[in-house]
Amino acid sequence: MAFRLRVVPETTNFDFFRAQWLTFGGSMILTVVAIVAWIAMGLNFGIDFRGGTTIRTEATEPVDVGAYRDALSGLELGDVAVTEVFDPNFADDQYVAQVRIAPLDGQESVSPETIAQVEENLRQISPSITFPSVESVGPKVSGELIWKAVLAMVAASVGIMIYIWMRFEWQFAMGAVIAIVHDIFITIGIFAIFQIKFDLTIVAALLTILGYSVNDTVVVFDRLRENLLKYKTMPLKDVMNLSVNETLSRTIMTSGTTLMALGAMLIWGGDVIRGFTFAIFVGVLLGTYSSVFVAKNLVLFVGLDRSDKPKKSDKNEFANVDA
């Protein structure tokens, strides 16, 4: 007999509304806290959004952040930030740092001559130092990137809302969009609270979260629509509980395997993609949670007109489209 591993029992009967004041209410509170943190603390924008120059250094001697700052203090530079980069994959004699330099007031960028002088000063305190990468972005370009990132997020959310609306009902569309906005805002709030660098790779991660979150939500909504037709007299809350229980195994297995891959990338993937991986890791957790505890609660709160549900399903050309 073949062995089958079951993470979740074949039949479950969890009441996902039992502590909704804690699950759903807590999510709403966390969303507000994330927005407040975002506004109050701001984001630690990377070079993509701030403009300026980022110099990555590598040396065989340990990084002395204070010495690096002292070496650059005599130069005519804008704001300078020196941070040491840690990674378990680095060799024992590999020490990495990032030097971020903002342009002076009235200048759009750091000149090549200034960058050369920075490198020369750093060589005087660390003879083995090398400069694997130098990235420069002007303020005009960085402003355009911020605007385009916002447009990308809004366009993706609107597209998802239209798709859900056509496939199901407007209540489902509203629940799905608010759930993914919940995921995005909390993820951004975490980046604001811990001042993790926020650059274009994080925007790509947020767009990935949008797709992953709505995929989980559509699976639950699809089963809910089937059960609404099957159990026409069952209370809406009970039909929702049944639908989530029936898709729980699929949800946990999909999210679990995704998180295993992301966890490996987070630990061993290196510092270059760590922010990107961390954003997706948090987003997958939040997306799974919102599919179970947020999206359906919003639909229940708004309510559904179940009296003409079969009639609508027959006329809606999108009703039978496969997910």
Side-chain angles (χ1 to χ4, degrees):
M1 184 172 64
F3 173 75
R4 296 179 63 189
L5 175 64
R6 285 196 176 276
V7 179
V8 179
E10 187 171 359
T11 303
T12 60
N13 190 30
F14 298 115
D15 184 0
F16 294 99
F17 292 96
R18 175 176 297 177
Q20 61 178 336
W21 61 270
L22 179 63
T23 55
F24 180 73
S27 290
M28 297 302 102
I29 292 173
L30 284 176
T31 303
V32 173
V33 170
I35 294 173
V36 171
W38 184 5
I39 295 173
M41 303 177 66
L43 292 170
N44 179 21
F45 285 119
I47 197 70
D48 297 333
F49 294 134
R50 292 184 61 184
T53 299
T54 296
I55 303 174
R56 182 183 177 92
T57 72
E58 288 190 13
T60 56
E61 301 91 7
V63 174
D64 186 337
V65 174
Y68 278 36
R69 289 199 184 102
D70 291 340
L72 303 179
S73 60
L75 301 178
E76 292 186 4
L77 303 172
D79 293 334
V80 177
V82 181
T83 56
E84 186 172 2
V85 178
F86 299 95
D87 192 290
N89 294 321
F90 287 165
D92 293 338
D93 61 346
Q94 184 180 12
Y95 299 94
V96 180
Q98 280 191 339
V99 181
R100 294 193 305 180
I101 307 170
L104 292 169
D105 294 338
Q107 297 182 0
E108 291 192 354
S109 62
V110 180
S111 66
E113 293 78 12
T114 301
I115 295 174
Q117 187 61 57
V118 167
E119 294 177 352
E120 180 60 31
N121 284 25
L122 291 177
R123 286 193 187 96
Q124 293 177 8
I125 62 169
S126 181
S128 66
I129 197 169
T130 59
F131 306 96
S133 66
V134 178
E135 300 175 357
S136 296
V137 177
K140 182 178 179 180
V141 174
S142 63
E144 292 176 354
L145 290 175
I146 293 176
W147 178 239
K148 288 180 179 179
V150 173
L151 284 180
M153 300 293 295
V154 172
S157 299
V158 171
I160 288 171
M161 183 176 66
I162 293 173
Y163 165 73
I164 301 294
W165 195 333
M166 290 191 302
R167 179 168 171 76
F168 300 100
E169 304 286 344
W170 69 266
Q171 295 94 330
F172 290 88
M174 184 199 69
V177 169
I178 293 179
I180 60 178
V181 167
H182 154 275
D183 303 339
I184 296 301
F185 277 8
I186 293 181
T187 302
I188 294 176
I190 292 173
F191 272 74
I193 291 171
F194 295 101
Q195 289 295 290
I196 303 171
K197 187 173 72 172
F198 192 94
D199 53 22
L200 280 178
T201 61
I202 307 306
V203 175
L206 294 178
L207 291 171
T208 304
I209 293 169
L210 284 175
Y212 191 95
S213 179
V214 77
N215 178 67
D216 256 357
T217 303
V218 164
V219 170
V220 175
F221 281 175
D222 203 48
R223 183 58 59 90
L224 174 59
R225 185 183 59 185
E226 294 176 0
N227 287 335
L228 284 171
L229 295 175
K230 187 183 299 183
Y231 305 102
K232 298 180 181 179
T233 59
M234 183 183 291
L236 182 58
K237 182 184 289 187
D238 294 340
V239 179
M240 288 182 170
N241 261 330
L242 175 64
S243 302
V244 177
N245 276 287
E246 288 179 347
T247 57
L248 187 61
S249 177
R250 181 264 180 203
T251 299
I252 291 179
M253 289 298 295
T254 303
S255 301
T257 52
T258 304
L259 289 172
M260 288 173 63
L262 289 171
M265 291 174 62
L266 192 60
I267 297 172
W268 295 293
D271 67 287
V272 175
I273 63 170
R274 182 157 293 127
F276 173 81
T277 308
F278 176 74
I280 299 182
F281 188 92
V282 172
V284 169
L285 286 174
L286 291 170
T288 304
Y289 182 88
S290 66
S291 298
V292 175
F293 291 106
V294 177
K296 65 177 178 49
N297 293 60
L298 290 165
V299 176
L300 179 65
F301 178 76
V302 176
L304 289 172
D305 182 7
R306 302 174 62 187
S307 60
D308 61 345
K309 185 72 177 176
K311 184 178 179 181
K312 279 189 176 182
S313 296
D314 292 336
K315 290 185 176 182
N316 189 349
E317 62 177 317
F318 295 96
N320 296 318
V321 177
D322 293 333

